[in-house]
Amino acid sequence: AIETVSGEIVTGFKAKGGANAIEITTTEACPVKVYTLNGALVKSTRVEAGTTSLPVKTGIYVVNGAKVIVK
């Protein structure tokens, strides 16, 4: 089984699934869009440099183009 899928879309941007949250780590402020696999927008926000936790329900999401599994 797949435990974690993380994606690096641009230099300095990482999205990682955790327990009921998506952890975003970035070296600079940037917009973040979170979609379900069906294409429904779940969150649209701007994060600052550093690490930000976005609370979401368990599932598989697409975050700025990267697939993320949240347990």
Side-chain angles (χ1 to χ4, degrees):
I2 298 173
E3 291 297 318
T4 301
V5 176
S6 63
E8 189 164 339
I9 305 307
V10 294
T11 303
F13 180 91
K14 274 191 165 181
K16 180 179 168 187
N20 295 315
I22 297 170
E23 186 176 284
I24 306 292
T25 304
T26 183
T27 57
E28 57 188 63
C30 66
V32 174
K33 291 192 178 191
V34 179
Y35 294 91
T36 65
L37 287 180
N38 294 330
L41 181 64
V42 176
K43 290 188 184 280
S44 179
T45 189
R46 184 168 179 82
V47 297
E48 297 300 319
T51 301
T52 304
S53 182
L54 301 175
V56 293
K57 294 180 181 180
T58 301
I60 302 173
Y61 297 91
V62 178
V63 182
N64 285 14
K67 290 180 187 170
V68 177
I69 297 173
V70 176
K71 293 184 177 189

